C-alpha cells in the first residue's frame, strides 16, 4: 500500500473509532466511549505523523515524540499538542483506566470535540 493510501486508511480508522465513541456514549457507556475517542485521537495523530515524516509511529511513545517534534517545526501542528495530551490523560488515563469519568459533561464534551481534532489533523496531513 502506498503512503497516501495508508494515511487515508488510518484516518478512516480514526473516523470509525469516533463513530464508535458516539455510539457508546449514546448507550451510556461513557468509559468505553472515552477510550474509543482516545483511540480516534491516537490514530489521527499517527496518520498525521506518517503524512509529515513518511514513517508511521510504531509505539505510543514514538507518536508522542513525533507529535512534539512536528509541533516545534510547525505552529499549526503545535495546536494539536495540548489537546492530544489532554485526551491521553483525561480520556485514556483518568476515565478509561482509572474509571473516574467525572465531571460527565466534561468527558462528553471531550469525546464530541474529537471530531475537531481529527479534522485539524487531516487538514494538516493534506498540506504535505
Amino acid at each position: 500500500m502506498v503512503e497516501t493510501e495508508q494515511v487515508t486508511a488510518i484516518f478512516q480508522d480514526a473516523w470509525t473509532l469516533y463513530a464508535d465513541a458516539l455510539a457508546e456514549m449514546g448507550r451510556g457507556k461513557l468509559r468505553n466511549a472515552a477510550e474509543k475517542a482516545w483511540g480516534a485521537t491516537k490514530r489521527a495523530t499517527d496518520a498525521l505523523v506518517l503524512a509529515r515524516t513518511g514513517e508511521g509511529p510504531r509505539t505510543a511513545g514514538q507518536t508522542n515524540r513525533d507529535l512534539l517534534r512536528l509541533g516545534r517545526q510547525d505552529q499549526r501542528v503545535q495546536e494539536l499538542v495540548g489537546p492530544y495530551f489532554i485526551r491521553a490523560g483525561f480520556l485514556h488515563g483518568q476515565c478509561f483506566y482509572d474509571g473516574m469519568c467525572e465531571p460527565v459533561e466534561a468527558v462528553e464534551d471531550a469525546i464530541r470535540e474529537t471530531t475537531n481534532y481529527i479534522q485539524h489533523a487531516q487538514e494538516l496531513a493534506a498540506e504535505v
Side-chain angles (χ1 to χ4, degrees):
M1 185 183 310
V2 296
E3 184 181 308
T4 55
E5 290 175 352
Q6 289 177 321
V7 170
T8 299
I10 297 169
F11 273 119
Q12 287 173 341
D13 188 39
W15 285 114
T16 298
L17 286 166
Y18 176 65
D20 291 347
L22 294 178
E24 288 291 307
M25 191 166 62
R27 287 191 285 275
K29 303 284 189 175
L30 195 57
R31 190 173 183 179
N32 291 342
E35 185 65 357
K36 295 286 186 178
W38 160 246
T41 301
K42 169 76 167 61
R43 293 299 283 162
T45 308
D46 289 345
L48 174 60
V49 168
L50 175 60
R52 288 286 179 110
T53 68
E55 186 175 328
R58 297 175 202 242
T59 66
Q62 188 177 358
T63 301
N64 297 350
R65 285 187 304 274
D66 289 345
L67 179 63
L68 289 167
R69 186 174 47 77
L70 290 171
R72 292 181 58 80
Q73 297 169 0
D74 185 333
Q75 179 58 41
R76 295 164 303 156
V77 175
Q78 182 64 34
E79 294 168 4
L80 292 176
V81 172
Y84 174 86
F85 284 104
I86 288 169
R87 282 175 170 70
F90 185 51
L91 295 177
H92 182 60
Q94 181 180 319
C95 185
F96 179 72
Y97 272 113
D98 295 342
M100 295 186 301
C101 301
E102 295 181 8
V104 169
E105 298 82 9
V107 176
E108 290 173 342
D109 287 346
I111 291 167
R112 283 188 204 96
E113 290 166 3
T114 300
T115 189
N116 298 331
Y117 186 96
I118 299 169
Q119 287 172 343
H120 191 172
Q122 210 163 13
E123 290 166 7
L124 293 170
E127 292 177 2
V128 177

